[in-house]
Coordinates of all heavy atoms in Angstrom, one line a residue:
A180 N -3.8 -13.4 17.0 CA -4.5 -12.4 16.2 C -3.5 -11.7 15.2 O -2.3 -11.6 15.5 CB -5.1 -11.3 17.1
P181 N -4.0 -11.3 14.0 CA -3.1 -10.6 13.1 C -2.6 -9.3 13.7 O -3.2 -8.7 14.6 CB -4.1 -10.3 11.9 CG -5.2 -11.2 12.0 CD -5.4 -11.5 13.5
S182 N -1.4 -8.9 13.3 CA -0.8 -7.7 13.8 C -1.5 -6.4 13.4 O -2.0 -6.3 12.3 CB 0.7 -7.6 13.3 OG 1.3 -6.4 13.7
S183 N -1.6 -5.5 14.4 CA -2.1 -4.2 14.1 C -1.1 -3.1 14.4 O -1.5 -1.9 14.6 CB -3.4 -4.0 14.9 OG -3.1 -4.0 16.3
A184 N 0.2 -3.5 14.3 CA 1.2 -2.5 14.7 C 1.3 -1.3 13.7 O 1.1 -1.5 12.5 CB 2.6 -3.2 14.7
V185 N 1.5 -0.2 14.2 CA 1.7 1.0 13.4 C 3.0 1.7 14.0 O 3.0 2.1 15.1 CB 0.5 2.0 13.4 CG1 0.9 3.3 12.8 CG2 -0.7 1.4 12.8
E186 N 4.0 1.8 13.2 CA 5.3 2.3 13.7 C 5.6 3.7 13.1 O 6.4 4.5 13.7 CB 6.4 1.4 13.3 CG 6.4 0.0 14.0 CD 7.5 -0.8 13.6 OE1 8.4 -0.4 12.8 OE2 7.6 -1.9 14.2
Q187 N 4.9 4.1 12.1 CA 5.0 5.5 11.6 C 3.8 5.8 10.7 O 3.1 5.0 10.3 CB 6.3 5.6 10.7 CG 6.3 4.8 9.4 CD 7.4 5.1 8.5 OE1 8.0 6.2 8.6 NE2 7.8 4.2 7.6
I188 N 3.6 7.1 10.5 CA 2.5 7.6 9.7 C 3.1 8.4 8.6 O 4.0 9.3 8.8 CB 1.5 8.5 10.5 CG1 0.8 7.6 11.5 CG2 0.5 9.1 9.5 CD1 -0.1 8.4 12.5
V189 N 2.7 8.1 7.3 CA 3.2 8.8 6.2 C 2.0 9.5 5.5 O 1.0 8.8 5.2 CB 4.0 7.9 5.2 CG1 4.4 8.7 3.9 CG2 5.2 7.3 5.9
A190 N 2.2 10.8 5.2 CA 1.1 11.5 4.5 C 1.6 12.2 3.2 O 2.3 13.1 3.3 CB 0.5 12.6 5.5
P191 N 1.2 11.6 2.1 CA 1.5 12.3 0.8 C 0.8 13.6 0.7 O -0.4 13.7 1.0 CB 1.1 11.3 -0.2 CG 0.9 10.0 0.5 CD 0.5 10.3 1.9
V192 N 1.5 14.6 0.3 CA 0.9 16.0 0.2 C 1.0 16.5 -1.2 O 2.1 16.5 -1.8 CB 1.6 17.0 1.2 CG1 1.2 18.4 1.0 CG2 1.4 16.5 2.6
D193 N -0.1 17.0 -1.8 CA 0.0 17.5 -3.2 C -0.5 19.0 -3.2 O -0.6 19.6 -4.2 CB -0.9 16.7 -4.1 CG -2.4 16.7 -3.8 OD1 -2.7 17.4 -2.7 OD2 -3.2 16.1 -4.5
F194 N -0.7 19.6 -1.9 CA -1.1 21.0 -1.8 C -2.4 21.3 -2.4 O -2.7 22.5 -2.7 CB 0.0 21.9 -2.3 CG 1.3 21.7 -1.7 CD1 2.4 21.2 -2.4 CD2 1.5 22.0 -0.3 CE1 3.6 21.0 -1.8 CE2 2.7 21.9 0.3 CZ 3.8 21.3 -0.5
S195 N -3.3 20.3 -2.6 CA -4.6 20.5 -3.1 C -5.5 20.8 -1.9 O -5.1 20.8 -0.8 CB -5.1 19.3 -3.9 OG -5.3 18.2 -3.0
D196 N -6.8 21.1 -2.2 CA -7.7 21.3 -1.1 C -7.9 20.1 -0.2 O -8.2 20.2 1.0 CB -9.1 21.7 -1.7 CG -9.1 23.0 -2.4 OD1 -8.2 23.8 -2.2 OD2 -10.0 23.2 -3.2
L197 N -7.6 18.9 -0.7 CA -7.8 17.7 0.1 C -6.6 17.6 1.1 O -6.8 16.8 2.1 CB -7.8 16.5 -0.8 CG -9.0 16.3 -1.7 CD1 -8.8 15.1 -2.7 CD2 -10.3 16.1 -0.9
T198 N -5.5 18.2 0.9 CA -4.4 18.1 1.8 C -4.7 18.5 3.2 O -4.4 17.8 4.1 CB -3.2 19.0 1.3 OG1 -2.7 18.4 0.0 CG2 -2.1 19.0 2.3
E199 N -5.4 19.7 3.3 CA -5.7 20.2 4.6 C -6.7 19.2 5.3 O -6.5 19.0 6.6 CB -6.4 21.5 4.5 CG -6.8 22.2 5.8 CD -7.4 23.5 5.7 OE1 -7.5 24.0 4.5 OE2 -7.8 24.1 6.7
V200 N -7.6 18.6 4.6 CA -8.5 17.7 5.2 C -7.8 16.5 5.8 O -8.0 16.0 6.9 CB -9.6 17.2 4.2 CG1 -10.6 16.3 4.9 CG2 -10.3 18.4 3.6
A201 N -6.9 15.9 4.9 CA -6.2 14.7 5.4 C -5.3 15.0 6.5 O -5.2 14.2 7.5 CB -5.4 14.2 4.2
L202 N -4.6 16.2 6.5 CA -3.7 16.5 7.6 C -4.4 16.8 8.9 O -3.8 16.6 10.0 CB -2.8 17.7 7.2 CG -1.8 17.4 6.1 CD1 -0.9 18.6 5.8 CD2 -1.0 16.1 6.4

Side-chain angles (χ1 to χ4, degrees):
S182 172
S183 60
V185 171
E186 296 183 355
Q187 66 172 337
I188 296 174
V189 175
V192 172
D193 63 1
F194 301 112
S195 69
D196 293 340
L197 292 174
T198 293
E199 182 180 356
V200 183
L202 292 185

